[in-house]
Amino acid sequence: MKLSEEKWLIKKNNFEVSPVNETIFTLSNGYLGVRGTFEDLFFNETPGTYVAGIFDKSESQVKELVNLPYFWGLKIYLKYEYLNPFECEILDYKRILDMKQGLLYKEMRLKDKKNRITKIEGYRFLSHDNRNLALMKYKIVPENYKDRITLEYFIDGKTTNSTFHPKERVKHYFLSNHVVSDDYLYLEACTRDKNYKVGILSSVEAENYHSKVSRNYIDFIAQSIDIDPVPQNEYTINIYTSILDSRRYDNLHENNLKEIRKAKNIGIEKLLENHKKKLEKRWNVADIKIYGDEKADKALRFNIFSLLSLANPDDEMVSIGAKGLHGEGYKGHVFWDTEIFMLPFYIYEYPEAARSFLMYRYYTLDKARENAKKNGYQGAQYPWESADTGEEETPKWGEDYYGNKVRIWTGDMEYHITADIAFSIREYLRATDDWEFFLNYGAEIFFETARFWVSRAEYNKDKDRYEINKVIGPDEFHEHVKNNFYTNYLARWNIKEALKYINIIKEKFPESYNKISRKINLVESELKKWKEVSNKIFIPWNKTTHLIEQFEGYFKLEDKIITKYNEKNMPEWPENVDLTKLNKYQLIKQADVLMLMHLLSEEFDYETKKINFEYYEKRTMHKSSLSPSIYAIMGLTIGNHSKAYEHFLRTALVDLEDNQGNTALGLHAASAGGTWQAAIYGFGGMNIDKDEKLNFKPWLPPHWKSMEFNIYYKKKLFNVKITQNHIKINDLSSLNDK
Ligand code: IFM
């Protein structure tokens, strides 16, 4: 197998069970995600097989992305003795994620206790050309023996969610069908609440084998292939798997079989070529090249690879969970992470994918309406955590830093997501000019979210102002707060922009306006109230000092400053902080005031950004991976380059170096998006001015020779090359078919 050049490879050379490596080596194509466990499936590994949008609750607290049967099982036996790598001498070992080819490669030479040496080499991938296909190929070479080799391929239907957490472990499916034949194995899982079915069909291709046996062990099906080998000969096994689910497809068994027959006719090598071509097309647009900093260059590429792996523009029913399709952290739920952190990447690098993620919010708009109504408001209130239907899925209970049971308030109070979604629709429209989307879908969301804020704001008669109280802003250390700057500012923005778009649509697209206003019953008299609320929403900002109070009363809290950093350069808790009472301190979890200054950068002057950066940076614990990227961007904006670079590495390496300590639970997908933003908005200095012109004001670290990237803007593709003294922008549209 020819691997790509070094800059495309993530390598691990130590043979070990590592849940962090399982996440890093996860393969995904937007429909499927399979964690990077070994084919043997060792007992202490955490397998994960997920299909986007397949959730189930059963006895868990909230719905979870279902951990489905594991279908990449392969064990090797020599004379019917399991060739257990942990009992062998490892002569050679490497596992490599080849990001350019989108595959996971493995090479191993094992010497067992009887001195038999076996070489195993091959790869697996989830096709980006046909998202229902998973392919695996291994070559086995018996170097010095002719004992019978048995290759046992299996699909394991015993998997559960939270495998190693005895209080949270849940089996979310039962097996509704098995078919076991010489030709193929078929296992069908059926979720317990909604009866979503997922059919998995695999067919094994092998040459020069002696015999083949397929077995049904009820919760585990397998095919064993005996080979009587000639030493030094190479024995190849190809495994074709097709996965279909009943949310999207009918006749799972028959259709899977058709897929596999087609795939086997095409052959694994050609399927790999087709997959690579599709991925290459995306890389040709989305790759960012940093010359002069190999570490940053590769880390950035890993983040882009992860984002490309999570997109599926053909599927409008799903969005990206906070941990991607890479693990069970946050139960596979969708947060503001998608719209505020990841979406910019898709808008500028893969606009079709951006549109489909926004369509998920349209698809769940009715549930957001119900949610608002249930809570006593109007319009649409998006849930803080969302799964398959768009209902609120935030768990009510969790654990604090000491493992004590605590009430989780985010689902009740982290309202800002509703404005975040409106914000992302404006970002998408401005960059793509996709008025078809806006007029048919986006505007409806925009107006319904504005309507929500108008009903959510409370009138304070004494102060003649509207307030938004009992909220949690982006910083989740502080709950039940009054007038969070971020929330109030973005709520006002949401209403004002909605009013602006109402005028634009009325004037330019009167038919669409009539259609939307009739559909959502929007009348002129209502708009008066919108204007009043947006003019009188209280924004806690005393412009004379520049320093913005995160929420009313924040400056009165006990002040603690961060002075120490751990070996991964992450902040350490200042002394004498009671981690059960974080509400008491000015320490914050993640960017909040600074977050808003990043989103609406043009509304804040340099002085204000600088003063707030310097104040909040010393008080931000970065306990959320969503934080460092924002400090990288804002650091560059105010000219604090060294801090900015430090924050950039924190976000870019969050998973590769596991600097939050929880990569085992899945990818930090928002941080991946934030890394892209730090590169493009930060070092590239990209911004859009009020005339909607694209501008670049780059700054590169002194050791960076140059940086190069492409950007879609208003349906054109531009190439941007930045060196220490120059910037060159080329219009590539004629070279591209989009
Ligand atoms: O959305 C984030 C939030 O901002 C911080 N806690 C984790 C969530 C999921 O990533």
Side-chain angles (χ1 to χ4, degrees), residues 39-40 72-77 82 136 149-155 185 204 213 215 217 220-226 237 239:
E39 290 76 18
D40 302 68
W72 263 338
L74 184 64
K75 282 188 170 179
I76 302 174
Y77 299 78
Y82 171 40
M136 177 158 98
I149 300 177
T150 305
L151 303 175
E152 184 190 34
Y153 166 72
F154 58 90
I155 306 178
L185 303 176
V204 180
V213 174
R215 284 277 157 84
Y217 304 98
F220 180 96
I221 56 177
Q223 182 168 80
S224 301
I225 295 171
D226 281 347
I237 177 167
I239 294 152

PDB file of all heavy atoms in Angstrom, residues 39-40 72-77 82 136 149-155 185 204 213 215 217 220-226 237 239:
ATOM      1  N   GLU A  39      -9.072  -4.575  15.052  1.00  0.00           N
ATOM      2  CA  GLU A  39     -10.007  -5.549  14.486  1.00  0.00           C
ATOM      3  C   GLU A  39     -10.270  -6.694  15.471  1.00  0.00           C
ATOM      4  O   GLU A  39     -11.365  -7.248  15.496  1.00  0.00           O
ATOM      5  CB  GLU A  39      -9.468  -6.126  13.166  1.00  0.00           C
ATOM      6  CG  GLU A  39      -9.464  -5.138  12.011  1.00  0.00           C
ATOM      7  CD  GLU A  39      -8.348  -4.119  12.090  1.00  0.00           C
ATOM      8  OE1 GLU A  39      -7.370  -4.357  12.824  1.00  0.00           O
ATOM      9  OE2 GLU A  39      -8.455  -3.067  11.422  1.00  0.00           O
ATOM     10  N   ASP A  40      -9.268  -7.032  16.282  1.00  0.00           N
ATOM     11  CA  ASP A  40      -9.447  -8.127  17.261  1.00  0.00           C
ATOM     12  C   ASP A  40     -10.537  -7.810  18.281  1.00  0.00           C
ATOM     13  O   ASP A  40     -11.141  -8.693  18.856  1.00  0.00           O
ATOM     14  CB  ASP A  40      -8.164  -8.352  18.072  1.00  0.00           C
ATOM     15  CG  ASP A  40      -6.988  -8.682  17.201  1.00  0.00           C
ATOM     16  OD1 ASP A  40      -6.544  -7.794  16.457  1.00  0.00           O
ATOM     17  OD2 ASP A  40      -6.525  -9.834  17.272  1.00  0.00           O
ATOM     18  N   TRP A  72     -16.191  -4.536  12.116  1.00  0.00           N
ATOM     19  CA  TRP A  72     -14.855  -4.696  11.556  1.00  0.00           C
ATOM     20  C   TRP A  72     -14.035  -5.677  12.391  1.00  0.00           C
ATOM     21  O   TRP A  72     -12.887  -5.430  12.732  1.00  0.00           O
ATOM     22  CB  TRP A  72     -14.166  -3.337  11.431  1.00  0.00           C
ATOM     23  CG  TRP A  72     -14.286  -2.758  10.050  1.00  0.00           C
ATOM     24  CD1 TRP A  72     -14.537  -3.426   8.895  1.00  0.00           C
ATOM     25  CD2 TRP A  72     -14.125  -1.371   9.678  1.00  0.00           C
ATOM     26  NE1 TRP A  72     -14.557  -2.548   7.819  1.00  0.00           N
ATOM     27  CE2 TRP A  72     -14.308  -1.288   8.276  1.00  0.00           C
ATOM     28  CE3 TRP A  72     -13.852  -0.207  10.373  1.00  0.00           C
ATOM     29  CZ2 TRP A  72     -14.215  -0.088   7.565  1.00  0.00           C
ATOM     30  CZ3 TRP A  72     -13.765   0.992   9.667  1.00  0.00           C
ATOM     31  CH2 TRP A  72     -13.947   1.050   8.275  1.00  0.00           C
ATOM     32  N   GLY A  73     -14.665  -6.795  12.750  1.00  0.00           N
ATOM     33  CA  GLY A  73     -13.964  -7.777  13.578  1.00  0.00           C
ATOM     34  C   GLY A  73     -13.144  -8.739  12.738  1.00  0.00           C
ATOM     35  O   GLY A  73     -13.633  -9.246  11.718  1.00  0.00           O
ATOM     36  N   LEU A  74     -11.917  -8.982  13.144  1.00  0.00           N
ATOM     37  CA  LEU A  74     -11.085  -9.972  12.460  1.00  0.00           C
ATOM     38  C   LEU A  74     -10.053 -10.526  13.436  1.00  0.00           C
ATOM     39  O   LEU A  74      -9.277  -9.764  14.017  1.00  0.00           O
ATOM     40  CB  LEU A  74     -10.370  -9.333  11.259  1.00  0.00           C
ATOM     41  CG  LEU A  74      -9.540 -10.286  10.396  1.00  0.00           C
ATOM     42  CD1 LEU A  74     -10.411 -11.340   9.715  1.00  0.00           C
ATOM     43  CD2 LEU A  74      -8.760  -9.510   9.336  1.00  0.00           C
ATOM     44  N   LYS A  75     -10.098 -11.849  13.616  1.00  0.00           N
ATOM     45  CA  LYS A  75      -9.106 -12.485  14.486  1.00  0.00           C
ATOM     46  C   LYS A  75      -8.366 -13.543  13.688  1.00  0.00           C
ATOM     47  O   LYS A  75      -8.953 -14.174  12.791  1.00  0.00           O
ATOM     48  CB  LYS A  75      -9.798 -13.159  15.676  1.00  0.00           C
ATOM     49  CG  LYS A  75     -10.220 -12.181  16.742  1.00  0.00           C
ATOM     50  CD  LYS A  75     -10.720 -12.929  17.958  1.00  0.00           C
ATOM     51  CE  LYS A  75     -10.905 -11.941  19.088  1.00  0.00           C
ATOM     52  NZ  LYS A  75     -11.404 -12.563  20.279  1.00  0.00           N
ATOM     53  N   ILE A  76      -7.129 -13.735  14.065  1.00  0.00           N
ATOM     54  CA  ILE A  76      -6.317 -14.732  13.360  1.00  0.00           C
ATOM     55  C   ILE A  76      -5.996 -15.866  14.341  1.00  0.00           C
ATOM     56  O   ILE A  76      -5.630 -15.599  15.494  1.00  0.00           O
ATOM     57  CB  ILE A  76      -5.016 -14.085  12.841  1.00  0.00           C
ATOM     58  CG1 ILE A  76      -5.361 -12.905  11.907  1.00  0.00           C
ATOM     59  CG2 ILE A  76      -4.137 -15.107  12.129  1.00  0.00           C
ATOM     60  CD1 ILE A  76      -4.157 -12.104  11.460  1.00  0.00           C
ATOM     61  N   TYR A  77      -6.128 -17.090  13.881  1.00  0.00           N
ATOM     62  CA  TYR A  77      -5.790 -18.261  14.703  1.00  0.00           C
ATOM     63  C   TYR A  77      -4.739 -19.074  13.949  1.00  0.00           C
ATOM     64  O   TYR A  77      -4.830 -19.211  12.714  1.00  0.00           O
ATOM     65  CB  TYR A  77      -7.016 -19.154  14.927  1.00  0.00           C
ATOM     66  CG  TYR A  77      -8.144 -18.463  15.665  1.00  0.00           C
ATOM     67  CD1 TYR A  77      -8.989 -17.581  15.002  1.00  0.00           C
ATOM     68  CD2 TYR A  77      -8.359 -18.708  17.015  1.00  0.00           C
ATOM     69  CE1 TYR A  77     -10.015 -16.935  15.672  1.00  0.00           C
ATOM     70  CE2 TYR A  77      -9.393 -18.077  17.697  1.00  0.00           C
ATOM     71  CZ  TYR A  77     -10.218 -17.182  17.014  1.00  0.00           C
ATOM     72  OH  TYR A  77     -11.234 -16.554  17.676  1.00  0.00           O
ATOM     73  N   TYR A  82      -5.605 -18.757  19.185  1.00  0.00           N
ATOM     74  CA  TYR A  82      -5.747 -17.325  18.887  1.00  0.00           C
ATOM     75  C   TYR A  82      -4.368 -16.650  18.885  1.00  0.00           C
ATOM     76  O   TYR A  82      -3.609 -16.767  19.859  1.00  0.00           O
ATOM     77  CB  TYR A  82      -6.678 -16.680  19.923  1.00  0.00           C
ATOM     78  CG  TYR A  82      -6.754 -15.160  19.858  1.00  0.00           C
ATOM     79  CD1 TYR A  82      -6.795 -14.491  18.629  1.00  0.00           C
ATOM     80  CD2 TYR A  82      -6.789 -14.403  21.029  1.00  0.00           C
ATOM     81  CE1 TYR A  82      -6.851 -13.105  18.571  1.00  0.00           C
ATOM     82  CE2 TYR A  82      -6.854 -13.017  20.975  1.00  0.00           C
ATOM     83  CZ  TYR A  82      -6.876 -12.370  19.740  1.00  0.00           C
ATOM     84  OH  TYR A  82      -6.929 -11.007  19.680  1.00  0.00           O
ATOM     85  N   MET A 136     -12.526  -3.169   3.969  1.00  0.00           N
ATOM     86  CA  MET A 136     -11.317  -3.513   4.729  1.00  0.00           C
ATOM     87  C   MET A 136     -10.526  -4.546   3.931  1.00  0.00           C
ATOM     88  O   MET A 136     -11.116  -5.456   3.335  1.00  0.00           O
ATOM     89  CB  MET A 136     -11.751  -4.082   6.075  1.00  0.00           C
ATOM     90  CG  MET A 136     -10.648  -4.542   6.949  1.00  0.00           C
ATOM     91  SD  MET A 136     -11.228  -4.558   8.669  1.00  0.00           S
ATOM     92  CE  MET A 136     -11.641  -6.271   8.836  1.00  0.00           C
ATOM     93  N   ILE A 149      -3.922 -21.573   9.093  1.00  0.00           N
ATOM     94  CA  ILE A 149      -4.338 -20.239   9.552  1.00  0.00           C
ATOM     95  C   ILE A 149      -5.856 -20.180   9.444  1.00  0.00           C
ATOM     96  O   ILE A 149      -6.422 -20.565   8.414  1.00  0.00           O
ATOM     97  CB  ILE A 149      -3.752 -19.117   8.657  1.00  0.00           C
ATOM     98  CG1 ILE A 149      -2.223 -19.148   8.675  1.00  0.00           C
ATOM     99  CG2 ILE A 149      -4.269 -17.748   9.063  1.00  0.00           C
ATOM    100  CD1 ILE A 149      -1.572 -18.131   7.756  1.00  0.00           C
ATOM    101  N   THR A 150      -6.498 -19.706  10.495  1.00  0.00           N
ATOM    102  CA  THR A 150      -7.946 -19.474  10.399  1.00  0.00           C
ATOM    103  C   THR A 150      -8.186 -17.977  10.577  1.00  0.00           C
ATOM    104  O   THR A 150      -7.719 -17.381  11.557  1.00  0.00           O
ATOM    105  CB  THR A 150      -8.710 -20.258  11.481  1.00  0.00           C
ATOM    106  OG1 THR A 150      -8.337 -21.623  11.361  1.00  0.00           O
ATOM    107  CG2 THR A 150     -10.212 -20.116  11.324  1.00  0.00           C
ATOM    108  N   LEU A 151      -8.897 -17.405   9.626  1.00  0.00           N
ATOM    109  CA  LEU A 151      -9.260 -15.989   9.743  1.00  0.00           C
ATOM    110  C   LEU A 151     -10.726 -15.941  10.132  1.00  0.00           C
ATOM    111  O   LEU A 151     -11.575 -16.472   9.407  1.00  0.00           O
ATOM    112  CB  LEU A 151      -9.061 -15.268   8.404  1.00  0.00           C
ATOM    113  CG  LEU A 151      -7.648 -15.340   7.822  1.00  0.00           C
ATOM    114  CD1 LEU A 151      -7.603 -14.693   6.451  1.00  0.00           C
ATOM    115  CD2 LEU A 151      -6.660 -14.658   8.762  1.00  0.00           C
ATOM    116  N   GLU A 152     -11.008 -15.354  11.263  1.00  0.00           N
ATOM    117  CA  GLU A 152     -12.394 -15.290  11.706  1.00  0.00           C
ATOM    118  C   GLU A 152     -12.890 -13.848  11.581  1.00  0.00           C
ATOM    119  O   GLU A 152     -12.476 -12.957  12.331  1.00  0.00           O
ATOM    120  CB  GLU A 152     -12.523 -15.748  13.167  1.00  0.00           C
ATOM    121  CG  GLU A 152     -13.977 -15.790  13.632  1.00  0.00           C
ATOM    122  CD  GLU A 152     -14.121 -15.998  15.142  1.00  0.00           C
ATOM    123  OE1 GLU A 152     -13.272 -15.493  15.901  1.00  0.00           O
ATOM    124  OE2 GLU A 152     -15.093 -16.651  15.548  1.00  0.00           O
ATOM    125  N   TYR A 153     -13.776 -13.633  10.613  1.00  0.00           N
ATOM    126  CA  TYR A 153     -14.393 -12.306  10.467  1.00  0.00           C
ATOM    127  C   TYR A 153     -15.676 -12.313  11.295  1.00  0.00           C
ATOM    128  O   TYR A 153     -16.422 -13.291  11.281  1.00  0.00           O
ATOM    129  CB  TYR A 153     -14.714 -12.009   8.994  1.00  0.00           C
ATOM    130  CG  TYR A 153     -15.637 -10.811   8.900  1.00  0.00           C
ATOM    131  CD1 TYR A 153     -15.157  -9.533   9.167  1.00  0.00           C
ATOM    132  CD2 TYR A 153     -17.003 -10.966   8.645  1.00  0.00           C
ATOM    133  CE1 TYR A 153     -16.001  -8.437   9.169  1.00  0.00           C
ATOM    134  CE2 TYR A 153     -17.858  -9.876   8.644  1.00  0.00           C
ATOM    135  CZ  TYR A 153     -17.347  -8.616   8.915  1.00  0.00           C
ATOM    136  OH  TYR A 153     -18.191  -7.532   8.940  1.00  0.00           O
ATOM    137  N   PHE A 154     -15.960 -11.219  12.022  1.00  0.00           N
ATOM    138  CA  PHE A 154     -17.198 -11.244  12.820  1.00  0.00           C
ATOM    139  C   PHE A 154     -17.891  -9.881  12.900  1.00  0.00           C
ATOM    140  O   PHE A 154     -17.267  -8.824  12.732  1.00  0.00           O
ATOM    141  CB  PHE A 154     -16.938 -11.771  14.237  1.00  0.00           C
ATOM    142  CG  PHE A 154     -15.919 -10.987  15.031  1.00  0.00           C
ATOM    143  CD1 PHE A 154     -16.302  -9.908  15.820  1.00  0.00           C
ATOM    144  CD2 PHE A 154     -14.580 -11.344  15.006  1.00  0.00           C
ATOM    145  CE1 PHE A 154     -15.364  -9.204  16.572  1.00  0.00           C
ATOM    146  CE2 PHE A 154     -13.632 -10.643  15.756  1.00  0.00           C
ATOM    147  CZ  PHE A 154     -14.032  -9.572  16.538  1.00  0.00           C
ATOM    148  N   ILE A 155     -19.197  -9.975  13.141  1.00  0.00           N
ATOM    149  CA  ILE A 155     -19.990  -8.783  13.466  1.00  0.00           C
ATOM    150  C   ILE A 155     -20.478  -9.015  14.893  1.00  0.00           C
ATOM    151  O   ILE A 155     -21.120 -10.034  15.181  1.00  0.00           O
ATOM    152  CB  ILE A 155     -21.205  -8.599  12.524  1.00  0.00           C
ATOM    153  CG1 ILE A 155     -20.764  -8.609  11.054  1.00  0.00           C
ATOM    154  CG2 ILE A 155     -21.939  -7.304  12.850  1.00  0.00           C
ATOM    155  CD1 ILE A 155     -21.917  -8.483  10.053  1.00  0.00           C
ATOM    156  N   LEU A 185     -22.912 -12.366   5.563  1.00  0.00           N
ATOM    157  CA  LEU A 185     -23.474 -12.353   6.921  1.00  0.00           C
ATOM    158  C   LEU A 185     -24.346 -11.108   7.027  1.00  0.00           C
ATOM    159  O   LEU A 185     -23.949 -10.034   6.548  1.00  0.00           O
ATOM    160  CB  LEU A 185     -22.364 -12.218   7.964  1.00  0.00           C
ATOM    161  CG  LEU A 185     -21.240 -13.251   7.984  1.00  0.00           C
ATOM    162  CD1 LEU A 185     -20.207 -12.864   9.040  1.00  0.00           C
ATOM    163  CD2 LEU A 185     -21.799 -14.636   8.285  1.00  0.00           C
ATOM    164  N   VAL A 204     -17.223 -11.622   2.652  1.00  0.00           N
ATOM    165  CA  VAL A 204     -15.771 -11.788   2.745  1.00  0.00           C
ATOM    166  C   VAL A 204     -15.262 -12.382   1.437  1.00  0.00           C
ATOM    167  O   VAL A 204     -15.834 -13.341   0.920  1.00  0.00           O
ATOM    168  CB  VAL A 204     -15.431 -12.741   3.913  1.00  0.00           C
ATOM    169  CG1 VAL A 204     -13.934 -12.934   4.040  1.00  0.00           C
ATOM    170  CG2 VAL A 204     -16.032 -12.229   5.212  1.00  0.00           C
ATOM    171  N   VAL A 213     -16.623 -21.533   6.970  1.00  0.00           N
ATOM    172  CA  VAL A 213     -17.794 -21.898   7.786  1.00  0.00           C
ATOM    173  C   VAL A 213     -18.409 -20.621   8.344  1.00  0.00           C
ATOM    174  O   VAL A 213     -17.690 -19.768   8.884  1.00  0.00           O
ATOM    175  CB  VAL A 213     -17.397 -22.815   8.967  1.00  0.00           C
ATOM    176  CG1 VAL A 213     -18.590 -23.074   9.879  1.00  0.00           C
ATOM    177  CG2 VAL A 213     -16.840 -24.113   8.451  1.00  0.00           C
ATOM    178  N   ARG A 215     -21.276 -18.987  11.047  1.00  0.00           N
ATOM    179  CA  ARG A 215     -21.987 -19.390  12.261  1.00  0.00           C
ATOM    180  C   ARG A 215     -22.808 -18.246  12.830  1.00  0.00           C
ATOM    181  O   ARG A 215     -22.396 -17.083  12.753  1.00  0.00           O
ATOM    182  CB  ARG A 215     -20.974 -19.798  13.348  1.00  0.00           C
ATOM    183  CG  ARG A 215     -20.354 -21.144  13.156  1.00  0.00           C
ATOM    184  CD  ARG A 215     -21.294 -22.239  13.700  1.00  0.00           C
ATOM    185  NE  ARG A 215     -21.003 -23.529  13.081  1.00  0.00           N
ATOM    186  CZ  ARG A 215     -20.054 -24.353  13.500  1.00  0.00           C
ATOM    187  NH1 ARG A 215     -19.330 -24.033  14.527  1.00  0.00           N
ATOM    188  NH2 ARG A 215     -19.859 -25.497  12.888  1.00  0.00           N
ATOM    189  N   TYR A 217     -24.078 -17.066  16.338  1.00  0.00           N
ATOM    190  CA  TYR A 217     -24.025 -17.247  17.790  1.00  0.00           C
ATOM    191  C   TYR A 217     -25.044 -16.315  18.460  1.00  0.00           C
ATOM    192  O   TYR A 217     -24.822 -15.833  19.555  1.00  0.00           O
ATOM    193  CB  TYR A 217     -22.626 -16.946  18.323  1.00  0.00           C
ATOM    194  CG  TYR A 217     -21.542 -17.768  17.672  1.00  0.00           C
ATOM    195  CD1 TYR A 217     -20.778 -17.239  16.634  1.00  0.00           C
ATOM    196  CD2 TYR A 217     -21.292 -19.063  18.090  1.00  0.00           C
ATOM    197  CE1 TYR A 217     -19.778 -17.986  16.032  1.00  0.00           C
ATOM    198  CE2 TYR A 217     -20.287 -19.822  17.482  1.00  0.00           C
ATOM    199  CZ  TYR A 217     -19.535 -19.274  16.456  1.00  0.00           C
ATOM    200  OH  TYR A 217     -18.551 -20.019  15.860  1.00  0.00           O
ATOM    201  N   PHE A 220     -23.778 -12.521  17.871  1.00  0.00           N
ATOM    202  CA  PHE A 220     -22.446 -12.435  17.288  1.00  0.00           C
ATOM    203  C   PHE A 220     -22.484 -13.355  16.078  1.00  0.00           C
ATOM    204  O   PHE A 220     -22.854 -14.528  16.226  1.00  0.00           O
ATOM    205  CB  PHE A 220     -21.496 -12.948  18.387  1.00  0.00           C
ATOM    206  CG  PHE A 220     -20.044 -12.978  18.070  1.00  0.00           C
ATOM    207  CD1 PHE A 220     -19.237 -11.919  18.453  1.00  0.00           C
ATOM    208  CD2 PHE A 220     -19.460 -14.074  17.436  1.00  0.00           C
ATOM    209  CE1 PHE A 220     -17.875 -11.956  18.216  1.00  0.00           C
ATOM    210  CE2 PHE A 220     -18.099 -14.102  17.190  1.00  0.00           C
ATOM    211  CZ  PHE A 220     -17.314 -13.045  17.590  1.00  0.00           C
ATOM    212  N   ILE A 221     -22.161 -12.853  14.886  1.00  0.00           N
ATOM    213  CA  ILE A 221     -22.147 -13.776  13.747  1.00  0.00           C
ATOM    214  C   ILE A 221     -20.765 -13.734  13.107  1.00  0.00           C
ATOM    215  O   ILE A 221     -20.088 -12.703  13.142  1.00  0.00           O
ATOM    216  CB  ILE A 221     -23.267 -13.465  12.716  1.00  0.00           C
ATOM    217  CG1 ILE A 221     -23.182 -12.027  12.211  1.00  0.00           C
ATOM    218  CG2 ILE A 221     -24.636 -13.735  13.301  1.00  0.00           C
ATOM    219  CD1 ILE A 221     -24.218 -11.698  11.152  1.00  0.00           C
ATOM    220  N   ALA A 222     -20.368 -14.867  12.569  1.00  0.00           N
ATOM    221  CA  ALA A 222     -18.973 -14.951  12.145  1.00  0.00           C
ATOM    222  C   ALA A 222     -18.805 -15.882  10.953  1.00  0.00           C
ATOM    223  O   ALA A 222     -19.619 -16.779  10.723  1.00  0.00           O
ATOM    224  CB  ALA A 222     -18.128 -15.458  13.310  1.00  0.00           C
ATOM    225  N   GLN A 223     -17.747 -15.630  10.216  1.00  0.00           N
ATOM    226  CA  GLN A 223     -17.356 -16.554   9.159  1.00  0.00           C
ATOM    227  C   GLN A 223     -15.870 -16.875   9.340  1.00  0.00           C
ATOM    228  O   GLN A 223     -15.055 -15.952   9.475  1.00  0.00           O
ATOM    229  CB  GLN A 223     -17.576 -15.925   7.798  1.00  0.00           C
ATOM    230  CG  GLN A 223     -17.238 -16.864   6.669  1.00  0.00           C
ATOM    231  CD  GLN A 223     -17.730 -16.342   5.330  1.00  0.00           C
ATOM    232  OE1 GLN A 223     -17.092 -15.493   4.730  1.00  0.00           O
ATOM    233  NE2 GLN A 223     -18.858 -16.845   4.869  1.00  0.00           N
ATOM    234  N   SER A 224     -15.566 -18.166   9.364  1.00  0.00           N
ATOM    235  CA  SER A 224     -14.160 -18.558   9.547  1.00  0.00           C
ATOM    236  C   SER A 224     -13.640 -19.153   8.255  1.00  0.00           C
ATOM    237  O   SER A 224     -14.314 -19.980   7.621  1.00  0.00           O
ATOM    238  CB  SER A 224     -14.037 -19.618  10.623  1.00  0.00           C
ATOM    239  OG  SER A 224     -14.546 -19.109  11.798  1.00  0.00           O
ATOM    240  N   ILE A 225     -12.441 -18.754   7.926  1.00  0.00           N
ATOM    241  CA  ILE A 225     -11.842 -19.214   6.668  1.00  0.00           C
ATOM    242  C   ILE A 225     -10.525 -19.909   6.997  1.00  0.00           C
ATOM    243  O   ILE A 225      -9.646 -19.299   7.612  1.00  0.00           O
ATOM    244  CB  ILE A 225     -11.613 -18.012   5.736  1.00  0.00           C
ATOM    245  CG1 ILE A 225     -12.981 -17.446   5.383  1.00  0.00           C
ATOM    246  CG2 ILE A 225     -10.817 -18.385   4.503  1.00  0.00           C
ATOM    247  CD1 ILE A 225     -12.951 -16.175   4.659  1.00  0.00           C
ATOM    248  N   ASP A 226     -10.421 -21.160   6.637  1.00  0.00           N
ATOM    249  CA  ASP A 226      -9.183 -21.902   6.894  1.00  0.00           C
ATOM    250  C   ASP A 226      -8.259 -21.828   5.688  1.00  0.00           C
ATOM    251  O   ASP A 226      -8.697 -22.025   4.545  1.00  0.00           O
ATOM    252  CB  ASP A 226      -9.504 -23.385   7.143  1.00  0.00           C
ATOM    253  CG  ASP A 226     -10.010 -23.612   8.561  1.00  0.00           C
ATOM    254  OD1 ASP A 226      -9.874 -22.694   9.395  1.00  0.00           O
ATOM    255  OD2 ASP A 226     -10.542 -24.708   8.816  1.00  0.00           O
ATOM    256  N   ILE A 237      -7.438 -10.979   2.301  1.00  0.00           N
ATOM    257  CA  ILE A 237      -8.857 -11.058   2.646  1.00  0.00           C
ATOM    258  C   ILE A 237      -9.449  -9.659   2.448  1.00  0.00           C
ATOM    259  O   ILE A 237      -8.883  -8.662   2.912  1.00  0.00           O
ATOM    260  CB  ILE A 237      -9.052 -11.604   4.084  1.00  0.00           C
ATOM    261  CG1 ILE A 237     -10.527 -11.608   4.471  1.00  0.00           C
ATOM    262  CG2 ILE A 237      -8.293 -10.843   5.126  1.00  0.00           C
ATOM    263  CD1 ILE A 237     -10.798 -12.419   5.731  1.00  0.00           C
ATOM    264  N   ILE A 239     -13.000  -7.412   2.885  1.00  0.00           N
ATOM    265  CA  ILE A 239     -14.320  -7.460   3.510  1.00  0.00           C
ATOM    266  C   ILE A 239     -15.147  -6.270   3.055  1.00  0.00           C
ATOM    267  O   ILE A 239     -14.738  -5.115   3.238  1.00  0.00           O
ATOM    268  CB  ILE A 239     -14.190  -7.529   5.041  1.00  0.00           C
ATOM    269  CG1 ILE A 239     -13.543  -8.872   5.381  1.00  0.00           C
ATOM    270  CG2 ILE A 239     -15.563  -7.435   5.729  1.00  0.00           C
ATOM    271  CD1 ILE A 239     -12.770  -8.895   6.611  1.00  0.00           C
TER     272      ILE A 239
END
